[in-house]
Amino acid sequence: MRTYFSFIKRHMDYLKTEGIESLSGTIKISGAKNASLPLIAMTILAKNSVSIKNLPQVADIRTLLKLLSNLGATYEFQDEKAVVDTSTLTQTKAKYDIVRTMRASILVLGPILARFGHCEVSLPGGCAIGQRPIDLHLKALEHMGAHISIKAGYVEATAPNGLKGCNIIFDKITVTGTANIVMAAALAEGQTVITNAAREPEVVQLCEILNASGVKIEGIGTAILTIEGTNGKLLHIDEFTIIPDRIEAGTYLCAGAITKSELTLENVNAKHLSAVLAKLEEMGSRFTITPDTITIHPSENIKPVKIITQEYPAFPTDMQAQFLALATQADGTSIIEERLFENRFMHVSELQRMGANITLNGHVATVYGKTQLSGADVMATDLRASSALVLAALVAIGETNIHRIYHLDRGYDSLDKKLQGVGSKIIRLKE
Ligand code: UD1
């Protein structure tokens, strides 16, 4: 049987750049991967087939749809629109083969348990950017009355008498943990109050759609969510459109800043990017903003910056690697502190191979700019690290080959084509 990994190896692509680039034009931002994943999982709570618009064409979305189809659901996915019907979903075991390729598969746990009273999900295991446990998801479900055990690498959860609303206080803010519990609470009996909930726009969209589908949720966008469960009654969910991907948008803003090119982004929500825009402004860029576009007017001289990654609305960890690449081109010393994940600096050694001057002390990177980067063969290590290498390659002298871009393909919709559209010579080749 062909596994996902053998498929990847056979189809291993890499990106090649030629050297210093100047870009100009417009890039259309895709729908947010991190909003799409919980919203696809949410279709498990629906009695109707759900139509979702503005889905990004990325591997993670196809993986989750495949997982649902393995469980018995049916779907069509074409031209950024999916129609998902979970009325035929009968299996409740999310197997290792898929879960190991995408940790966010854990998002099916809450909704499957809430609907069927039992669910097994393979433990996701470690990942490139750190341990990433799911203990908070499990503890919260136990509070709601689930019995949870770990057997043979699987989380086995049962709730024979259904889930019951209760007070949940997350010890730490967790994005997928909040989404999982909101979905479980949607079908639970009675009221669930989640304290220290994540406030990311992707969690907000999930709550808004559930709210519009008959699940009363108060406190949307705040750290305290109050959810009135339907006591097992499945939902009718109308067609909806995924919000723009703020991390993809932030990455292209960094492309404008690092290449000193004026770029306009379309289908973007600047309100979701406040912390990112503020840091780019500190570094010298200026912006023209409309309700759904952002134009970056980059500065000729990039200023150094201090960044601490934190939960939304603070600066996102998913933009740390890209800003680190940008900081190599700043005139002076930047300090970048990673507070969310313990091992999220693997791009540093690859950037050093391109000539960057960076020292790493635990979770703090000090970047001494400005250095002239030079092209090299480099390896993508995780999703956002991959885009940092692309940014660096756009200002390096000579050719860069970025290998293992299956990481990039997990979350960036047509990155090479979008960059080509604004004049880049980047090309995708086969190993
Ligand atoms: C989500 C995003 C990811 C982003 C991250 C932080 C998706 C699909 N992924 O990941 O792109 O980088 O938020 O903004 O939306 N933690 C625990 N126990 C748990 C859960 C989390 O200790 O049960 C810790 C994690 O190890 C981490 C922190 O809490 O240190 C935040 O993690 P979390 O918000 O859960 O990240 P994800 O939801 O996995």
Side-chain angles (χ1 to χ4, degrees):
M1 202 179 77
R2 252 168 70 170
T3 65
Y4 185 73
F5 279 123
S6 67
F7 173 85
I8 283 173
K9 278 199 187 107
R10 243 183 298 242
H11 296 82
M12 194 99 99
D13 290 354
Y14 69 101
L15 291 175
K16 186 196 224 36
T17 59
E18 280 185 12
I20 299 173
E21 302 255 17
S22 182
L23 311 173
S24 75
T26 300
I27 296 177
K28 184 170 174 270
I29 299 305
S30 297
K33 168 182 86 75
N34 285 354
S36 307
L37 294 171
L39 288 166
I40 291 171
M42 180 195 68
T43 63
I44 296 167
L45 306 176
K47 59 182 175 205
N48 59 316
S49 68
V50 181
S51 147
I52 311 178
K53 288 184 358 189
N54 200 35
L55 281 167
Q57 297 279 355
V58 298
D60 274 9
I61 301 303
R62 291 189 289 273
T63 303
L64 187 55
L65 289 170
K66 191 173 151 203
L67 170 56
L68 290 189
S69 122
N70 285 355
L71 299 176
T74 57
Y75 70 90
E76 280 166 36
F77 180 27
Q78 236 182 359
D79 303 330
E80 300 172 2
K81 182 174 170 179
V83 180
V84 188
D85 182 357
T86 62
S87 64
T88 48
L89 194 151
T90 47
Q91 303 293 313
T92 56
K93 181 168 180 172
K95 294 199 183 131
Y96 178 65
D97 251 12
I98 287 202
V99 177
R100 71 171 181 179
T101 66
M102 189 183 69
R103 298 183 45 80
S105 307
I106 194 66
L107 282 165
V108 301
L109 177 61
I112 291 184
L113 182 63
R115 176 166 154 191
F116 296 98
H118 52 91
C119 180
E120 284 174 70
V121 181
S122 170
L123 277 168
C127 83
I129 64 173
Q131 263 195 344
R132 300 182 84 173
I134 52 159
D135 55 314
L136 301 173
H137 303 229
L138 303 184
K139 204 171 139 194
L141 289 171
E142 276 178 333
H143 256 95
M144 298 178 80
H147 301 287
I148 293 186
S149 56
I150 310 288
K151 281 190 200 141
Y154 280 78
V155 175
E156 279 187 32
T158 55
N161 303 317
L163 295 171
K164 309 265 181 288
C166 64
N167 286 333
I168 288 163
I169 302 177
F170 278 124
D171 294 336
K172 227 176 175 183
I173 299 175
T174 161
V175 176
T176 47
T178 303
N180 232 339
I181 301 310
V182 165
M183 289 189 278
L187 292 200
E189 180 193 336
Q191 188 182 75
T192 301
V193 180
I194 304 177
T195 302
N196 209 21
R199 291 179 287 159
E200 269 67 4
E202 295 76 18
V203 174
V204 168
Q205 183 171 32
L206 171 70
C207 292
E208 280 172 349
I209 289 167
L210 284 171
N211 199 44
S213 312
V215 180
K216 196 171 157 224
I217 305 185
E218 277 173 12
I220 297 178
T222 75
I224 300 181
L225 294 170
T226 305
I227 304 136
E228 298 292 340
T230 65
N231 198 10
K233 203 168 138 233
L234 294 179
L235 314 176
H236 180 92
I237 301 175
D238 286 332
E239 178 174 276
F240 59 86
T241 302
I242 302 287
I243 56 169
D245 195 312
R246 63 196 165 98
I247 305 301
E248 187 198 21
T251 304
Y252 291 123
L253 292 175
C254 285
I258 202 167
T259 61
K260 299 173 181 165
S261 308
E262 193 164 290
L263 291 177
T264 296
L265 309 187
E266 279 178 359
N267 185 33
V268 64
N269 186 342
K271 288 191 193 124
H272 297 164
L273 280 153
S274 303
V276 168
L277 293 173
K279 286 297 162 191
L280 284 170
E281 265 181 1
E282 268 179 59
M283 296 177 92
S285 292
R286 295 291 170 260
F287 301 96
T288 305
I289 292 172
T290 74
D292 63 353
T293 69
I294 303 177
T295 301
I296 177 165
H297 311 289
S299 138
E300 272 312 304
N301 302 305
I302 302 173
K303 291 187 208 137
V305 72
K306 281 200 174 72
I307 289 174
I308 298 175
T309 67
Q310 274 170 297
E311 294 87 358
Y312 190 86
F315 188 89
T317 173
D318 286 352
M319 284 302 302
Q320 177 257 101
Q322 300 89 318
F323 269 74
L324 203 145
L326 179 57
T328 67
Q329 302 308 300
D331 297 313
T333 303
S334 298
I335 295 179
I336 300 182
E337 185 177 336
E338 172 59 53
R339 291 241 179 119
L340 287 176
F341 295 111
E342 72 271 22
N343 188 24
R344 207 174 195 179
F345 276 128
M346 282 178 306
H347 40 287
V348 166
S349 53
E350 296 303 292
L351 291 170
Q352 283 166 334
R353 296 181 60 250
M354 297 175 76
N357 187 357
I358 305 167
T359 56
L360 207 48
N361 188 358
H363 57 281
V364 180
T366 307
V367 187
Y368 303 93
K370 167 185 182 180
T371 43
Q372 176 57 62
L373 301 178
S374 42
D377 279 275
V378 288
M379 195 115 72
T381 48
D382 69 59
L383 170 56
R384 306 303 169 186
S386 321
S387 58
L389 297 178
V390 172
L391 294 174
L394 295 177
V395 291
I397 292 179
E399 191 179 292
T400 299
N401 297 305
I402 305 165
H403 303 277
R404 300 207 175 169
I405 54 158
Y406 55 86
H407 288 294
L408 191 101
D409 293 337
R410 283 191 38 221
Y412 283 94
D413 184 345
S414 321
L415 175 128
D416 45 328
K417 293 202 188 90
K418 289 190 185 189
L419 283 175
Q420 285 160 8
V422 289
S424 171
K425 298 194 180 67
I426 194 165
I427 47 167
R428 176 183 285 261
L429 297 164
K430 298 251 172 260
E431 296 282 7

